[in-house]
Amino acid sequence: MAETTIAQPTIARRTNTRGTKFQPGRVLLYVLVISLCVLFGFPLFWTLMSSLKTPADIVKFPPVWIPPDVQWQNYVT
């Protein structure tokens, strides 16, 4: 006579929606990576925005982040 096995219920682990455990170190890593992206990306943003400004807008204080009238002619000259 063959033995029948009864499946044992499994205990579900508490996980987030993706099925992985929460890792505080990963959050710290993401904060560090995003901070470095902003730090190193800001000069590129400032250079691109300054290339589209008039000379008066470049030296204006407080600085103009996005030029009110874009000077595409700066690339030609």
Side-chain angles (χ1 to χ4, degrees):
M1 195 155 122
E3 290 185 25
T4 55
T5 58
I6 300 173
Q8 297 293 324
T10 58
I11 299 172
R13 292 182 183 168
R14 185 172 185 180
T15 57
N16 62 12
T17 57
R18 291 191 203 175
T20 59
K21 290 184 180 179
F22 174 74
Q23 298 173 350
R26 186 163 295 226
V27 173
L28 181 64
L29 178 67
Y30 284 140
V31 168
L32 178 67
V33 168
I34 290 171
S35 300
L36 288 174
C37 287
V38 169
L39 179 71
F40 289 108
F42 180 74
L44 178 63
F45 170 76
W46 185 257
T47 302
L48 290 174
M49 290 298 107
S50 295
S51 71
L52 297 173
K53 295 178 184 178
T54 62
D57 285 338
I58 292 174
V59 295
K60 191 181 281 187
F61 186 80
V64 177
W65 294 98
I66 298 174
D69 52 337
V70 178
Q71 302 292 316
W72 294 108
Q73 189 65 25
N74 290 345
Y75 285 111
V76 175
T77 57

